[in-house]
Amino acid sequence: DKIRAEFISDSLCEKTLNELQNYRTSHKDSLAKVFNALCNINRKMGKQNIVTYRIKRFESIIGKLYRFPKMDFSRMWDIGGCRYIVNNNEEVYKLKELIEKSDILEIRAKNDHIETPKPDGYKSLHLYIYLKSDPNKVIELQIRNKEDHNWATLVEITDLLFDAKLKEYGKDKELLRFHFLLSKRFDLTTEEKKEIAKTIKKYKYFEKLSNVF
């Protein structure tokens, strides 16, 4: 509540930021242990998959509290987060089964955005997991295949290039639609392909990408 009130008045004080930092860093030990457990599971899969982890940024935490006025920290399960990128969806669910059999990890909840993609086209399996030795710190695990990861990365690049705020608010509706169509991949009509081409031309999309990267 303090963060929301101070954010709205644009005056986040040092004491509040310090309290937020302490809460963020309180997830570090659990996050590191979850990450190590996932690396061990990765060896069992016999794959060179990508496994990463991060603590949620200040701006992301504050923005989420503002967007969801009734959310409190006890229900914000993505302060500490891991990401696991595999080759295909079959491996996504194989990894889930291995986590379910783990002696170290426990799954508290899941959101399957592969089976039911988000309206913007986002696809990923989200598992909310914790250490059996520390059930109070829940860590979000996002598991997705390489193609869905590339799509999600492109959304972030578009946000960077065009200030589209697609992840938070979907501010630019045309670019939101553009990425939704890209998420369909091979399931596009001729008209939808023309729509993609029109958006690329209008925004000089490839020219922007080339200039930055």
Side-chain angles (χ1 to χ4, degrees):
D1 291 337
K2 280 168 59 181
I3 291 170
R4 287 191 184 99
E6 292 177 16
F7 176 70
I8 291 169
S9 62
D10 198 24
S11 59
L12 277 161
C13 71
E14 188 175 347
K15 183 174 183 292
T16 303
L17 288 173
N18 285 336
E19 289 174 355
L20 177 56
Q21 172 65 348
N22 288 338
Y23 186 73
R24 287 175 73 244
T25 55
S26 72
H27 289 73
K28 283 176 64 176
D29 287 345
S30 290
L31 179 57
K33 289 174 182 175
V34 167
F35 173 72
N36 287 333
L38 291 172
C39 289
N40 289 333
I41 289 172
N42 191 37
R43 294 186 191 100
K44 291 179 184 177
M45 289 185 71
K47 298 285 184 180
Q48 294 301 311
N49 297 316
I50 298 170
V51 192
T52 65
Y53 70 99
R54 63 98 181 101
I55 296 282
K56 197 173 184 73
R57 293 181 299 114
F58 273 85
E59 296 87 346
S60 299
I61 295 171
I62 294 166
K64 191 167 187 176
L65 289 171
Y66 180 67
R67 293 197 311 278
F68 301 99
K70 295 183 179 179
M71 175 175 282
D72 55 36
F73 278 131
S74 66
R75 293 189 296 117
M76 191 182 286
W77 289 349
D78 61 346
I79 300 289
C82 293
R83 183 171 292 158
Y84 203 120
I85 303 164
V86 297
N87 292 310
N88 51 57
N89 287 342
E90 185 180 26
E91 291 183 5
V92 170
Y93 293 107
K94 181 182 177 183
L95 175 61
K96 176 178 172 286
E97 288 177 9
L98 289 173
I99 292 171
E100 288 171 335
K101 295 175 183 175
S102 170
D103 296 328
I104 300 171
L105 304 174
E106 192 77 48
I107 299 173
R108 177 163 294 178
K110 70 170 185 174
N111 283 326
D112 193 337
H113 301 300
I114 296 174
E115 189 175 302
T116 308
K118 288 186 177 183
D120 62 359
Y122 176 86
K123 302 183 187 82
S124 182
L125 175 64
H126 290 197
L127 300 179
Y128 299 94
I129 60 181
Y130 60 89
L131 296 165
K132 292 181 179 180
S133 60
D134 184 15
N136 294 321
K137 289 289 187 290
V138 179
I139 304 298
E140 181 189 63
L141 170 61
Q142 299 177 359
I143 314 171
R144 55 193 183 221
N145 66 47
K146 288 179 180 177
E147 287 189 343
D148 290 334
H149 178 67
N150 288 341
W151 178 91
T153 302
L154 191 66
V155 170
E156 295 188 1
I157 290 170
T158 298
D159 275 353
L160 175 71
L161 296 183
F162 300 98
D163 189 30
K165 291 185 170 60
L166 301 180
K167 291 181 70 176
E168 288 88 359
Y169 313 106
K171 184 175 80 171
D172 190 314
K173 301 303 180 188
E174 193 168 349
L175 285 174
L176 191 68
R177 168 75 176 167
F178 170 67
H179 284 282
F180 167 72
L181 293 176
L182 290 181
S183 76
K184 294 176 71 173
R185 293 198 195 107
F186 309 113
D187 207 17
L188 292 160
T189 66
T190 301
E191 288 305 311
E192 286 172 336
K193 291 176 182 177
K194 288 179 180 177
E195 192 177 341
I196 288 172
K198 183 180 176 182
T199 303
I200 288 171
K201 184 177 180 180
K202 176 181 175 180
Y203 285 84
K204 297 183 178 178
Y205 199 87
F206 293 130
E207 289 90 332
K208 274 272 193 180
L209 285 174
S210 298
N211 288 337
V212 174
F213 299 101

